């Protein structure tokens, strides 16, 4: 049996409403491939962590850099940090 050497583990950070819905501050997360379209990554995370109700309002950041184009292909590395950020409300 061969192992998939391209799979990686990343760290996902949850903030505000995403923390409330997921019940987590952060989690180590396994990806089967380091290459993934940002939209697909966000969809997968939302599915796995109960965030689908707010998916369309979330901001994705990779290693503290906002991902402005969800159609872009990401090339992630072992240990990368992914932040899932809900919209910031002022008041």
């Amino acid at each position: 049996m061969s192992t998939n050497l391209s799979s990686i583990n990343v760290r996902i950070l949850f903030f505000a409403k995403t923390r409330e819905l997921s019940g987590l501050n952060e989690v180590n997360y396994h990806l089967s491939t380091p290459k993934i379209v940002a939209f697909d990554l966000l969809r997968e995370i939302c599915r796995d962590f109960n965030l689908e109700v707010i998916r369309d309002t979330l901001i994705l950041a990779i290693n503290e850099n906002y991902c402005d184009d969800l159609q872009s292909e990401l090339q992630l590395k072992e240990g990368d940090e992914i932040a899932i950020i809900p919209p910031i409300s002022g008041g």
Side-chain angles (χ1 to χ4, degrees):
M1 182 187 334
S2 66
T3 58
N4 183 354
L5 298 177
S6 66
S7 68
I8 61 168
N9 291 296
V10 296
R11 187 169 70 149
I12 301 175
L13 306 177
F14 300 93
F15 296 94
K17 186 70 172 176
T18 64
R19 180 181 292 154
E20 179 184 319
L21 290 170
S22 69
L24 300 165
N25 291 324
E26 65 180 67
V27 67
N28 287 322
Y29 191 69
H30 180 80
L31 291 170
S32 59
T33 178
K35 278 181 148 177
I36 188 168
V37 174
F39 177 83
D40 294 333
L41 175 62
L42 183 60
R43 184 181 61 208
E44 186 176 316
I45 291 169
C46 287
R47 181 196 65 222
D48 291 349
F49 296 101
N50 193 38
L51 304 176
E52 289 176 320
V53 296
I54 60 171
R55 180 177 69 194
D56 294 339
T57 64
L58 296 176
I59 299 167
L60 185 65
I62 312 295
N63 297 322
E64 299 183 8
N65 294 307
Y66 289 116
C67 184
D68 296 325
D69 180 8
L70 290 179
Q71 298 305 316
S72 65
E73 184 174 77
L74 304 172
Q75 180 66 50
L76 299 170
K77 298 180 302 306
E78 181 75 23
D80 276 354
E81 185 177 89
I82 299 169
I84 308 298
I85 307 165
I88 309 299
S89 60

